[in-house]
Amino acid sequence: MTTSTVRVSRAEYCVIACAEAWRDNGEVLASPMGLIPSVGARLARRTFSPDLLLTDGEAMLVGLDGEPEGWLPYRQHLAMVTGGRRHVMMGASQIDRFGNQNISCIGDWKQPARQLLGVRGAPVNTLNNPVSYWVPKHSTRVFVPKVDLISGVGYDSAAAAGPSATRYHRIPRVVSDLGVFDFATPDHSMRVVSLHPGVTVDQVREATAFDLSGLDEPAYTRAPTPEELRLIREVIDPDDLRDREVRP
Amino acid sequence: MTPEDVVARLRSGMTIGIGGWGSRRKPMALVRALLRSPVTDLTVISYGGPDVGLLAAAGRIRKLVAPFATLDSIPLEPHFRAARQAGAFELMEVDEAMFMWGLHAAANRLPFLPVRAGIGSDVMRVNPALRTVTSPYEDGETFVAMPALRMDAALVHLNRADRLGNGQYLGPDPYFDDLFCEAADSAYVSCERIVDGFGATVPQSLLVKRYAVTGVVESPNGAHFTSCVPDYGRDEPFQKLYASTPWPEFAERFLSGPDEKSYQSAVQSWHEEQK
């Protein structure tokens, strides 16, 4: 075995952390937004989650070779969301301690300082199917005490809105370039699941504008297996596009 | 009809639905005709793309109903963005699925449809007029009562249509163009080519029915610079130009001509300069 001498890049730990989001999900649509989540979803499908469905980013469900296996235009995609057989990993311009996410705008909604995408499908996603998040640059600008506009619904907001908001609401994980986080605490506040090797506790603390639990004795994100590394480097992302999203 | 004929039937202050999605199969020739007309003060209902950007840059929008505005390959629509940051129009910002149910409600002549999206999010805060509805059955669940997105006129672009208003899409996604037509008091279909019937075509591609269509315009390349597959893909270099050129300069060069033909030839000469 030569694995111990192989250097694993930060982007590759991120790929593994994203792929793990879809472990044991069964026959659901994996909807990755962003390059590294996309590599992660394909890795999961090629290895431990072979039943996942993937799209071409438009209207077709595709196999690993890119060949269509089914049709999923936007109107059916939106129905699939409400049916719950989907796990999306969205981006987040802001995310707070209870998982509220913002992709709409920065500042006052009436006349924003920076208009972003709009809420898009974040409200329907978060109330209907598992939603994880991917943040390629972990900073206090993203991990904020309070988001400017709640696009994706967090645990406290869902609870305040009542049972029909909480019924199918779940945020399995947040993956950033520094580590993996979840909300498996009594009050559903964010906690550290693992740091990527090379990341320090202080680094995460300084880049997060709220208190995180689990920082005392953090675990580390697992290394990819030799086969996973081969798939990432030679099959799924041979042009190293992942290094553009997260510096090696 | 010509794009001018369509726009002659529109009035300032109307609620106009625009089909397509983002920078995909937008009825751009009809939007350009709107820009050449004095019609303004519009309420626009759209899965927003450069249709929204162009109308916003020209100051024609009083109120926008949308879940987003994007150029797809360029995530942020620059003119929509600038207009929002200037507080230039009123916005009803709703979720993508809420928007779809608003179209369904309008097409079905219902005042609202219940949807499990919106509650818990700031969509409720920024739209104080939105109401919820409680299930009368044992579950007793609460949903958003998404109001019907009824419109005075809908504008859509399809690959083919006949003169009666039957419309066909040939790409991978119908988007929501049939719903836009059914949700509107009058609907105008522009198309790449008018055909004399559809012969042995795949029946599922016949998206839009003539009972829901008021007028048909033959407008080749009429979705430019958005995509209209399989007839053509998005004109990425031109979209980049649109997104990076100051509005007065862009409008002067491409939108100041008397008709759609002058736009298409201005685009052609620009492409030739790039070679």
Side-chain angles (χ1 to χ4, degrees):
Chain A
M1 290 280 281
T2 56
T3 48
S4 57
T5 60
V6 174
R7 191 179 175 280
V8 176
S9 73
R10 179 68 57 79
E12 286 158 350
Y13 281 111
C14 293
V15 167
I16 288 296
C18 289
E20 286 288 345
W22 285 289
R23 188 185 281 275
D24 300 327
N25 279 200
E27 197 165 14
V28 304
L29 178 71
S31 286
M33 298 178 191
L35 184 102
I36 283 177
S38 175
V39 176
R42 276 155 182 76
L43 180 68
R45 164 124 178 212
R46 281 185 182 274
T47 53
F48 48 77
S49 292
D51 293 335
L52 290 175
L53 288 86
L54 297 169
T55 77
D56 63 354
E58 305 225 359
M60 301 309 289
L61 292 164
V62 294
L64 287 172
D65 51 5
E67 285 297 307
E69 64 163 313
W71 187 48
L72 194 68
Y74 286 131
R75 60 180 68 191
Q76 291 189 348
H77 201 140
L78 287 171
M80 183 183 215
V81 169
T82 53
R85 300 193 64 86
R86 175 177 183 258
H87 181 171
V88 54
M89 185 173 277
M90 300 187 77
S93 303
Q94 296 178 323
I95 189 164
D96 73 18
R97 188 163 171 246
F98 294 100
N100 296 289
Q101 167 254 29
N102 177 20
I103 49 170
S104 174
C105 65
I106 301 296
D108 178 17
W109 175 84
K110 281 202 178 79
Q111 187 173 343
R114 274 197 301 139
Q115 174 65 43
L116 305 173
L117 294 168
V119 294
R120 295 220 61 149
V124 71
N125 288 346
T126 43
L127 259 55
N128 288 281
N129 61 201
V131 177
S132 292
Y133 292 106
W134 161 241
V135 178
K137 198 160 189 259
H138 193 130
S139 79
T140 52
R141 290 162 61 99
V142 181
F143 289 77
V144 294
K146 194 174 184 324
V147 300
D148 292 357
L149 186 128
I150 300 170
S151 310
V153 178
Y155 281 96
D156 55 343
S157 306
S164 69
T166 55
R167 188 165 182 186
Y168 304 114
H169 176 268
R170 195 158 71 84
I171 308 174
R173 63 170 56 193
V174 177
V175 180
S176 79
D177 59 334
L178 300 185
V180 180
F181 310 85
D182 70 9
F183 302 90
T185 51
D187 66 347
H188 291 297
S189 60
M190 200 185 289
R191 71 164 190 174
V192 177
V193 175
S194 67
L195 303 184
H196 304 322
V199 174
T200 68
V201 166
D202 283 345
Q203 231 180 315
V204 174
R205 198 173 276 135
E206 279 163 27
T208 309
F210 52 80
D211 285 339
L212 273 168
S213 52
L215 268 177
D216 301 334
E217 283 179 37
Y220 285 91
T221 306
R222 77 166 175 89
T225 66
E227 175 60 5
E228 286 170 337
L229 259 191
R230 187 190 70 80
L231 286 169
I232 295 169
R233 292 177 179 180
E234 293 173 26
V235 179
I236 304 172
D237 183 28
D239 297 328
D240 302 339
L241 297 175
R242 60 192 179 282
D243 291 344
R244 286 193 211 163
E245 204 164 53
V246 169
R247 288 263 142 244
Chain B
M1 297 178 86
T2 66
E4 270 62 31
D5 295 334
V6 170
V7 168
R9 295 178 178 219
L10 306 179
R11 297 286 170 265
S12 292
M14 274 187 166
T15 297
I16 308 277
I18 303 179
W21 171 289
S23 190
R24 301 167 200 216
R25 219 179 67 230
K26 285 285 174 178
M28 297 296 277
L30 298 180
V31 171
R32 286 186 282 268
L34 255 180
L35 293 177
R36 289 192 296 271
S37 82
V39 173
T40 188
D41 197 33
L42 297 171
T43 294
V44 173
I45 297 176
S46 176
Y47 283 113
D51 52 330
V52 165
L54 285 166
L55 292 168
R60 305 299 179 91
I61 303 179
R62 183 182 66 75
K63 180 181 176 183
L64 176 68
V65 181
F68 58 77
T70 178
L71 298 174
D72 292 315
S73 54
I74 301 170
L76 303 176
E77 213 307 334
H79 299 305
F80 161 73
R81 207 173 183 205
R84 277 282 289 146
Q85 291 170 192
F89 52 70
E90 197 185 323
L91 178 65
M92 180 181 180
E93 181 168 351
V94 294
D95 165 88
E96 290 171 10
M98 293 172 71
F99 188 102
M100 179 175 77
W101 283 114
L103 295 179
H104 274 290
N108 287 277
R109 298 194 295 183
L110 293 169
F112 71 89
L113 278 170
V115 49
R116 192 196 302 278
I119 54 170
S121 81
D122 275 342
V123 163
M124 303 308 282
R125 173 172 68 84
V126 302
N127 296 293
L130 282 177
R131 295 286 174 268
T132 57
V133 60
T134 302
S135 166
Y137 299 106
E138 278 170 30
D139 57 85
E141 286 201 65
T142 299
F143 304 101
V144 173
M146 178 61 200
L149 295 176
R150 195 69 209 172
M151 42 196 91
D152 295 309
L155 309 176
V156 305
H157 185 80
L158 293 167
N159 300 89
R160 305 284 179 268
D162 66 17
R163 287 178 194 286
L164 300 171
N166 296 299
Q168 181 184 37
Y169 76 105
L170 297 172
D173 201 316
Y175 310 119
F176 300 86
D177 291 356
D178 50 336
L179 288 174
F180 274 93
C181 293
E182 290 164 16
D185 293 341
S186 59
Y188 301 94
V189 173
S190 62
C191 64
E192 290 299 311
R193 187 146 55 83
I194 289 181
V195 295
D196 286 329
F198 294 96
T201 194
V202 177
Q204 292 90 332
S205 66
L206 298 173
L207 181 68
V208 169
K209 281 53 153 167
R210 65 181 167 87
Y211 67 78
V213 172
T214 316
V216 179
V217 177
E218 185 171 56
S219 190
N221 217 24
H224 182 269
F225 47 88
T226 70
S227 65
C228 187
V229 281
D231 291 310
Y232 45 88
R234 186 178 302 127
D235 186 345
E236 297 287 1
F238 190 84
Q239 173 161 286
K240 200 178 270 180
L241 177 80
Y242 159 79
S244 58
T245 308
W247 170 250
E249 198 181 309
F250 181 86
E252 170 60 27
R253 172 148 192 197
F254 297 103
L255 301 170
S256 61
D259 53 20
E260 175 66 12
K261 214 173 146 189
S262 46
Y263 168 80
Q264 295 289 350
S265 60
V267 170
Q268 211 180 344
S269 11
W270 180 79
H271 272 296
E272 274 155 24
E273 279 171 27
Q274 305 308 304
K275 281 173 190 167

